[in-house]
Amino acid sequence: MLWNATYLGDTLDALRAESYPITAEDAAHLTPAQHDHINFYGTYSFDFETELRRDGHRPLRSPAA
């Protein structure tokens, strides 16, 4: 969920930078926990060396046209 929260913030920042109207009320309804790809009971594998070498966040994907 930390990853989702981090990139959710990046997404809001990117939308605001494009002058998309994001209100505090709209943002209050967002949560990083409501996503189907989160597996609360599974095992995750991370390549820590690769992640430690990363400078900043991954770029956001553009929405499908």
Side-chain angles (χ1 to χ4, degrees):
M1 281 195 291
L2 176 60
W3 187 93
N4 283 353
T6 299
Y7 282 91
L8 185 57
D10 287 355
T11 302
L12 291 173
D13 291 344
L15 289 170
R16 287 181 180 124
E18 294 177 8
S19 299
Y20 190 88
I22 305 282
T23 66
E25 183 177 313
D26 291 335
H29 292 280
L30 300 174
T31 176
Q34 294 183 339
H35 294 282
D36 292 337
H37 67 277
I38 298 176
N39 180 358
F40 292 100
Y41 306 106
T43 301
Y44 291 90
S45 175
F46 298 96
D47 182 349
F48 287 108
E49 295 301 321
T50 299
E51 295 304 319
L52 290 173
R53 287 191 303 268
R54 182 183 313 282
D55 184 26
H57 296 161
R58 295 176 183 176
L60 298 173
R61 292 184 296 184
S62 296

